[in-house]
Amino acid sequence: MKNMEKELLCPVCQEMYKQPLVLPCTHNVCQACAREVLGQQGYIGHAGDPSSEPTSPASTPSTRSPRLSRRTLPKPDRLDRLLKSGFGTYPGRKRGALHPQTIIFPCPACQGDVELGERGLSGLFRNLTLERIVERYRQSVSVGGAILCQLCKPPPLEATKGCTECRATFCNECFKLFHPWGTQKAQHEPTLPTLSFRPKGLMCPDHKEEVTHYCKTCQRLVCQLCRVRRTHSGHKITPVLSAYQALKDKLTKSLAYILGNQDTVQTQICELEETIRHTEVSGQQAKEEVSQLVRGLGAVLEEKRSSLLQAIEECQQERLSRLSAQIHEHQSLLDGSGLVGYAQEVLKETDQPCFVQAAKQLHNRIARATEALQTFRPAASSSFRHCQLDVGREMKLLTELNFLRVPEAPVIDTQRTFAYDQIFLCWRLPPHSPPAWHYTVEFRRTDVPAQPGPARWQRREEVRGTSALLENPDTGSVYVLRVRGCNKAGYGEYSEDVHLHTPPAPVLHFFLDGRWGASRERLAISKDQRAVRSIPGLPLLLAAERLLTGCHLSVDVVLGDVAVTQGRSYWACAVDPASYLVKVGVGLESKLQESFQGAPDVISPRYDPDSGHDSGAEDATVEALPPFAFLTIGMGKILLGSGASSNAGLTGRDGPAASCTVPLPPRLGICLDYERGRVSFLDAVSFRGLLECPLDCSGPVCPAFCFIGGGAVQLQEPVGTKPERKVTIGGFAKLD
């Protein structure tokens, strides 16, 4: 018990608790300290006394100020008039109608603001258990000396008794004096002398009644009156005994677990101490590295300074040399000296041939000197503006010089991330994130049986760029993927997990073949043969005038260049929401060629190219399987017929629902099970089933697309055609 003093210190005064109060945040504080804190916050008159115990004899009216003793209590009839006139609370009057002030208490333990309500400290419970523990601790460590009588005249005698009702300690004589025989005080039961007087039980601060229940909703002890009040209406309230037993059992189990794992606690303490030592060593190494780098920067700057000063010095000397030579040349032009004096002497020559011989060379020098004198200009400039340095960028870099941070958690682009024949994962860093040198991609399947221990991730290290391609995923599975960046500072946080559904069957790769049933005038197939657009033209416009009397509408069909003869296959496409009428599906290759090769025009706009075997209009009385299965799309809607089996929640209790429409998803998926003779139409984004219908698979089956009026279809391109980094699934090291 001697090592628990830290738990018994008030966070405000740093002394042992005296009449501690329990704050709503479950922390404790001395009552006097709480009043002082509220006073510092400007709450005057709200620091009520939460205890309802009577005052000690030392503070009775007989010992107070005479002015206070002359105050008289209001009469009952006056109190009744005050209540009826609008003061206080009475039946029929709403509490809080005037928006009472909510007192905020800054908790010194958790540094948070705690709401005390309008009653302030008066609405808090007193922690009697903590008081008893403090008293036992004081007795165990012999804190303080003997307890003296509080009513004796100086010098006081040692106290021998205590009174809980009077909240004072007495010697034998004083106890008899303040508890005279034949009075009500004589019935007070004496106790051992103590410095802390506590009530016999925990009392409700609102109604001064003993608490008997515990409200689990408010996590607060309540009395019988609180239980029936509207404040706890509908709350889960249990007896105190039940709450006591439940909390005691939990605390006992938790304490038993901690006591039973003392070796683990000691091991963790040793690990933390070792971590502290490593932190000290690593911190010292980091300091040395920073000092070394800064010294390196200083050395580079000093070397650069020397080289720049040397360049300025060389330029200065070169200019001074040129200017000195120019001065020397001009000095030779002075009278009687240099070149002028020599010319004057040559002019004195009378021998003409000799004069001509000497004056020819001299004349050239005099001519150059004359020209230099007429066009005088210093041989070098005195300005060194070309030696100015622009260090704004460098100063900014030095000012922003800081420790390198790890990259922030990447953000996965869900619009560009999808699963088809392969998984294409795309991400980006937040705007103000430090750059990443490379990334780590981790993924795992979520639909496999869970194994004991942490989840095992497959990892791919050092992925360059902001996208990755995962090859050979398992069909019909759900993958969860995440990414994190790395730079010199280390690894950053993981991105949020993204879940991707893989197609239910292997992806079928094919191109569009317009040789069967396609009109080149009305159908335009792209060069890569993955998109087709139908142009209605004049026939559809003329049909609008004869709609009531009968008309001829053109049906254009485009088939896939690949036929399926076994196994399961899946492909996806996107239909333009503005398409007038498009049918997407599959059919027997022979039946499709027979139906559309020679009869491009049909009567009635309700013509169905599958000869009545559309997936939305199956006849239950016909046993033969239909050769076609189409999904009808028009004007951004999908028509779901009453005869089709649907797992999209379209069937009622009494049987299949009537025909209805659902919104067109961004991409449609078609899954063909050749052996079972079934075709499923899916939402290719969420892989939610739309329709499932039978199909005659007695021969080769190929994809088909029918157009009535304007429309467009785009096949989904295989992910493998994107020039992205490929990551083959399989053979990865497992992460524990």
Side-chain angles (χ1 to χ4, degrees), residues 467-611:
S467 61
L469 200 61
L470 310 180
E471 291 184 339
N472 305 327
D474 297 332
T475 59
S477 303
V478 179
Y479 282 87
V480 57
L481 305 98
R482 64 184 186 183
V483 186
R484 65 173 177 175
C486 178
N487 57 17
K488 188 177 181 180
Y491 285 96
E493 296 292 334
Y494 282 103
S495 65
E496 294 185 2
D497 294 348
V498 60
H499 293 74
L500 291 180
H501 294 258
T502 56
V507 175
L508 178 67
H509 299 285
F510 64 91
F511 297 95
L512 297 176
D513 187 1
R515 293 176 298 174
W516 303 103
S519 174
R520 295 185 179 180
E521 298 177 356
R522 295 186 296 269
L523 289 181
I525 300 177
S526 62
K527 294 182 179 180
D528 59 358
Q529 294 183 294
R530 291 190 177 277
V532 58
R533 177 174 293 276
S534 173
I535 304 173
L538 185 62
L540 186 62
L541 298 177
L542 296 177
E545 299 181 357
R546 303 190 300 271
L547 185 60
L548 300 178
T549 60
C551 63
H552 295 271
L553 287 181
S554 300
V555 178
D556 300 311
V557 180
V558 178
L559 305 182
D561 64 348
V562 175
V564 180
T565 57
Q566 63 179 357
R568 303 175 72 240
S569 301
Y570 174 86
W571 63 93
C573 64
V575 179
D576 187 359
S579 300
Y580 180 71
L581 186 62
V582 177
K583 288 180 175 289
V584 177
V586 293
L588 286 174
E589 184 179 16
S590 58
K591 295 293 184 181
L592 289 171
Q593 294 176 2
E594 292 176 3
S595 300
F596 299 106
Q597 184 175 6
D601 294 332
V602 292
I603 299 176
S604 170
R606 299 180 182 179
Y607 169 76
D608 198 340
D610 59 2
S611 302

Side-chain angles (χ1 to χ4, degrees), residues 687-729:
F687 287 93
R688 178 178 60 91
L690 299 174
L691 288 177
E692 183 178 352
C693 47
L695 178 68
D696 183 7
C697 295
S698 58
V701 177
C702 62
F705 306 91
C706 302
F707 296 90
I708 299 179
V713 173
Q714 172 73 50
L715 296 180
Q716 183 169 345
E717 296 184 4
V719 183
T721 60
K722 296 179 179 293
E724 305 292 344
R725 179 181 178 86
K726 297 183 179 180
V727 181
T728 303
I729 297 180

Side-chain angles (χ1 to χ4, degrees), residues 37 168 192 238 312 316 353 533 554 597 627 641 716:
V37 171
L192 294 175
T238 60
I312 294 175
Q316 181 183 14
R533 177 174 293 276
S554 300
Q597 184 175 6
Q716 183 169 345

Side-chain angles (χ1 to χ4, degrees), residues 353-373:
C354 293
F355 176 82
V356 172
Q357 182 182 7
K360 185 178 181 180
Q361 180 183 5
L362 179 61
H363 180 266
N364 294 333
R365 294 177 61 189
I366 290 295
R368 289 196 299 268
T370 304
E371 183 180 0
L373 187 62

Side-chain angles (χ1 to χ4, degrees), residues 343 345-360:
E345 294 298 326
V346 170
L347 289 174
K348 295 178 181 180
E349 179 66 38
T350 58
D351 190 352
Q352 295 181 356
C354 293
F355 176 82
V356 172
Q357 182 182 7
K360 185 178 181 180

Side-chain angles (χ1 to χ4, degrees), residues 411-425:
V411 179
I412 295 181
D413 190 351
T414 56
Q415 299 296 327
R416 299 177 58 191
T417 298
F418 63 94
Y420 194 45
D421 57 327
Q422 301 168 19
I423 296 178
F424 178 70
L425 181 63

